[in-house]
């Protein structure tokens, strides 16, 4: 499989077309940004780690009945994925208060939420990905009612699968962000990535942060945190 044209370059990944009209190649970068691109940096080895962690988790989810875009890992930083058009929503799932939820609602980070919280943000960099609800989604025609129901059903199921899996590795799944896509035949499947860039992972015992918050908040030990996640998940 060969990369033909660069279709899109995001903050952390590039997407290429291939000779197969139904398959794209995703190439993960070491570039890191935060606060909608305001803070920029490099996390050495991040591209390879996020590629491998994402594929590992996508395979786990697929084995439990979640349809995903994963096709085949091509090398350390590149993966073949099914072509989709991305639904312009960032779907955030929260088990424990942290980050923007803690700020907005005045809950100390680490507060257990009585029930899982689902949030939708409109994927639009110019607007800073504002939080929206199902009425905005319908009014802006970002997804149909049926699509949003599928997205919601998959998101809760993914949360259960990942929480249970990570618990055994002494990782607490605080919150995470998902993106979904539409296939050519109109099905909703999981797309994008599931990695320390897009999840909050805390060590279950020490509550040490093992994710991109180390970069966002200048906590140091950024590369080591990504390596630790790779080690716990893939044993390397
Ligand atoms: P937040 O607390 O900053 O809203 O982040 C919630 C979760 O979403 C957290 O696990 C990090 C992830 N996230 C992204 O993947 N991309 C983003 O642009 C933002 C703001 C958060």
């Amino acid at each position: 499989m060969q990369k033909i044209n660069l279709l899109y370059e995001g903050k952390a990944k590039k997407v290429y077309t291939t000779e197969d009209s139904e398959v794209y190649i995703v190439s993960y970068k070491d570039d890191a940004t935060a606060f909608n691109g305001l803070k920029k940096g490099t996390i050495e080895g991040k591209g390879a780690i996020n590629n491998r962690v994402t594929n590992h988790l996508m395979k786990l989810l697929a084995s439990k009945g979640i349809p995903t875009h994963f096709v085949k890992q091509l090398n350390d930083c590149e993966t073949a994925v099914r072509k989709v058009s991305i639904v312009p929503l960032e779907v955030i799932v929260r088990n424990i208060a942290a980050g923007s939820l803690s700020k907005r609602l005045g809950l100390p980070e680490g507060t257990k939420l009585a029930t899982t919280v689902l949030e939708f943000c409109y994927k639009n960099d110019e607007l800073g990905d504002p939080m929206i609800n199902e009425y905005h989604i319908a009014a802006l025609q970002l997804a149909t009612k049926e699509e949003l129901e599928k997205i919601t059903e998959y998101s809760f199921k993914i949360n259960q699968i990942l929480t249970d899996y990570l618990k055994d590795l002494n990782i607490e799944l605080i919150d995470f962000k998902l993106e979904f896509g539409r296939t050519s035949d109109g099905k909703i499947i999981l797309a994008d990535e599931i990695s320390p860039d897009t999840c909050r992972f805390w060590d279950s015992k020490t509550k040490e942060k093992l994710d991109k918050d180390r970069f966002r908040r200048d906590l140091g030990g950024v590369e080591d945190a990504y390596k630790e996640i790779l080690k716990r998940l893939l044993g390397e």
Side-chain angles (χ1 to χ4, degrees):
M1 182 142 309
Q2 298 291 329
K3 294 181 292 224
I4 297 180
N5 286 313
L6 177 64
L7 191 69
Y8 167 81
E9 177 158 8
K11 296 184 203 108
K13 297 188 287 299
K14 294 181 193 177
V15 181
Y16 296 88
T17 59
T18 70
E19 63 272 19
D20 184 335
S21 66
E22 284 301 316
V23 177
Y24 288 158
I25 291 175
V26 177
S27 179
Y28 286 75
K29 307 193 282 188
D30 285 353
D31 299 350
T33 64
F35 316 118
N36 200 15
L38 232 58
K39 181 184 173 89
K40 290 192 177 69
T42 303
I43 301 173
E44 206 189 316
K46 175 171 86 79
I49 292 175
N50 284 359
N51 185 38
R52 297 172 67 194
V53 166
T54 294
N55 293 342
H56 181 73
L57 294 176
M58 291 254 182
K59 283 190 253 181
L60 169 75
L61 293 169
S63 78
K64 310 260 184 197
I66 304 288
T68 84
H69 74 167
F70 176 78
V71 175
K72 185 177 191 283
Q73 187 169 307
L74 302 173
N75 56 54
D76 253 11
C77 291
E78 293 180 334
T79 294
V81 299
R82 279 184 74 183
K83 173 186 148 183
V84 290
S85 69
I86 292 286
V87 177
L89 293 175
E90 300 207 337
V91 182
I92 296 170
V93 183
R94 301 180 184 271
N95 298 306
I96 310 263
S100 67
L101 181 91
S102 285
K103 259 201 198 124
R104 191 154 25 89
L105 301 183
L107 293 170
E109 284 208 321
T111 307
K112 171 118 181 65
L113 299 166
T115 61
T116 298
V117 170
L118 193 68
E119 293 172 355
F120 300 106
C121 293
Y122 178 26
K123 207 172 137 59
N124 183 317
D125 279 341
E126 264 172 51
L127 301 175
D129 299 335
M131 194 195 290
I132 55 175
N133 66 27
E134 58 193 296
Y135 293 94
H136 300 105
I137 294 170
L140 275 67
Q141 297 183 294
L142 304 180
T144 66
K145 188 167 173 282
E146 291 71 30
E147 285 175 336
L148 201 58
E149 276 168 12
K150 267 282 162 223
I151 287 171
T152 301
E153 176 199 324
Y154 289 154
S155 298
F156 279 105
K157 199 165 164 201
I158 289 166
N159 184 42
Q160 195 59 60
I161 297 165
L162 295 182
T163 297
D164 290 347
Y165 172 73
L166 293 167
K167 197 175 183 182
D168 290 341
L169 305 174
N170 272 313
I171 299 167
E172 214 172 337
L173 182 59
I174 306 301
D175 57 32
F176 57 98
K177 186 263 299 180
L178 299 171
E179 293 183 28
F180 292 86
R182 291 181 192 98
T183 60
S184 309
D185 55 355
K187 298 239 162 52
I188 289 288
I189 67 175
L190 179 65
D192 195 52
E193 65 180 284
I194 308 177
S195 72
D197 269 18
T198 61
C199 303
R200 286 196 172 93
F201 296 134
W202 291 5
D203 182 277
S204 303
K205 291 203 188 84
T206 65
K207 309 293 174 191
E208 186 189 0
K209 292 177 177 33
L210 299 171
D211 56 59
K212 194 176 167 189
D213 270 349
R214 302 204 74 84
F215 169 80
R216 296 188 187 100
R217 302 178 186 190
D218 295 321
L219 300 176
V222 184
E223 276 89 359
D224 283 347
Y226 279 71
K227 280 189 206 150
E228 180 62 24
I229 290 297
L230 181 71
K231 192 171 135 200
R232 290 199 200 179
L233 271 66
L234 286 110
E236 304 167 21

